[in-house]
């Protein structure tokens, strides 16, 4: 089967998971060309084998170059410790897992490889079509789509676990689609996260040179007062051939006053600090 046929089969086999992003009605028809809701709103599968649930072209800010760099770095292991912690926080029983802000999909692939749970149902979405196009190329039994986290194209109480790595949140939508007792696992960076890259790109007095997650953590705990916080910290050895990609894979290199690193500075970027918190909430 080609990508479009595989995507159509996935949606047909999991039709009850999806909802129309226009009217929130149920998906009543699934064909090889697309889906239609009970009120006649139709969305076609594109040639890459995914559904584009937005009325716009999607977010072009995150381009293919960044996602390709991210795939190389993540394939080399930058997020391996994070994915291990997420896996340990998930139930071992089969799950419907929604990867919010999946990007180019490598974290979901690595999570699936750790879980080795054939009965899992894996869905990744992102607002950036460049990332989703790359995600459909992965050797992974999953469904990817372009969607807005503020208007998720999924049915109420249809998801067991939501995994979110470094992405914005829409807690009301997460609560809507999670089953009672479902889990929300959110990764947020701490002040030391990729501090070596920050030092390389910004002078000490620039606002991008430091970071605090206090407001993000406070908002999460306001929504989920019984949530837990687990620190995950380790050093990642950056392969010599991927040091330019280490810079390109993060939006840090977009800042207004960013400094372009010299070849010697890149050569010295031999390791980076991964320092994040895993926030876990059970949604009732």
């Amino acid at each position: 089967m080609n990508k479009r046929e595989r995507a159509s089969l996935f949606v047909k086999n999991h039709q009850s998971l999806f909802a129309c992003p226009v009217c929130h009605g149920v998906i009543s028809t699934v064909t090889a060309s697309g889906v239609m809701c009970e009120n006649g709103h139709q969305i076609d599968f594109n040639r890459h084998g995914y559904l584009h649930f937005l009325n716009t072209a999607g977010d072009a800010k995150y381009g293919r170059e960044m996602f390709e760099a991210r795939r190389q770095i993540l394939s080399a292991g930058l997020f391996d410790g994070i994915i291990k912690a997420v896996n340990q926080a998930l139930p071992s029983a089969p799950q419907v897992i929604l990867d919010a802000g999946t990007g180019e999909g490598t974290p979901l692939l690595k999570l699936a490889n750790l879980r080795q749970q054939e009965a899992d149902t894996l869905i990744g979405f992102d607002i950036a079509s460049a990332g989703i196009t790359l995600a459909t190329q992965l050797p992974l039994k999953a469904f990817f789509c372009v969607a807005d986290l503020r208007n998720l194209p999924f049915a109420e109480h249809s998801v067991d676990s939501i995994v979110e790595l470094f992405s914005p949140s829409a807690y009301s939508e997460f609560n809507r689609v999670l089953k009672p007792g479902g889990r929300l696992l959110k990764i947020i960076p701490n002040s030391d996260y990729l501090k070596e890259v920050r030092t390389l790109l910004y002078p000490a007095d620039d606002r991008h040179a430091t970071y605090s997650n206090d407001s993000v953590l406070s908002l999460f705990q306001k929504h989920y007062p019984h949530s837990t916080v687990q620190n995950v910290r380790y050093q990642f050895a950056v392969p010599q051939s991927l040091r330019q990609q280490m810079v390109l894979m993060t939006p840090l290199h977009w800042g207004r006053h960013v400094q372009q690193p010299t070849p010697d500075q890149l050569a010295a970027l031999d390791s980076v600090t991964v320092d994040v918190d895993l926030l876990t909430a059970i949604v009732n």
Side-chain angles (χ1 to χ4, degrees), residues 37-172:
C37 79
E38 59 187 342
N39 294 313
H41 299 117
Q42 184 169 339
I43 301 171
D44 294 333
F45 294 103
N46 70 9
R47 62 187 178 90
H48 300 289
Y50 64 80
L51 291 171
H52 188 103
F53 285 110
L54 302 180
N55 292 325
T56 64
D59 191 343
K61 178 174 64 175
Y62 296 93
R64 188 179 180 94
E65 181 185 40
M66 189 194 80
F67 284 119
E68 288 178 337
R70 180 166 295 190
R71 172 162 292 177
Q72 290 179 279
I73 288 292
L74 299 191
S75 296
L78 176 65
F79 285 1
D80 282 6
I82 295 173
I83 302 302
K84 180 179 179 181
V86 169
N87 180 52
Q88 291 172 343
L90 286 169
S92 58
Q95 296 277 293
V96 176
I97 298 175
L98 180 61
D99 184 16
T102 194
E104 47 71 47
T106 298
L108 187 58
L109 171 65
K110 291 204 171 227
L111 179 62
N113 289 341
L114 275 182
R115 285 181 60 78
Q116 292 293 301
Q117 176 53 269
E118 288 294 325
D120 278 347
T121 300
L122 305 175
I123 301 174
F125 78 89
D126 203 286
I127 199 170
S129 56
I132 295 300
T133 297
L134 286 172
T136 62
Q137 300 173 5
L138 291 170
L140 177 62
K141 184 183 175 183
F143 179 80
F144 292 100
C145 58
V146 174
D148 185 348
L149 62 84
R150 297 166 299 181
N151 184 30
L152 296 175
F154 308 110
E156 292 186 3
H157 310 310
S158 59
V159 174
D160 294 298
S161 296
I162 294 177
V163 176
E164 185 189 66
L165 274 60
F166 306 103
S167 293
S169 296
Y171 296 123
S172 60

Side-chain angles (χ1 to χ4, degrees), residues 177-198:
V177 302
L178 279 168
K179 297 176 182 178
R183 293 169 188 255
L184 172 58
L185 307 176
K186 180 178 178 66
I187 293 290
I188 62 174
N190 288 320
S191 57
D192 281 349
Y193 178 68
L194 302 188
K195 62 181 181 180
E196 297 82 1
V197 177
R198 288 184 182 275

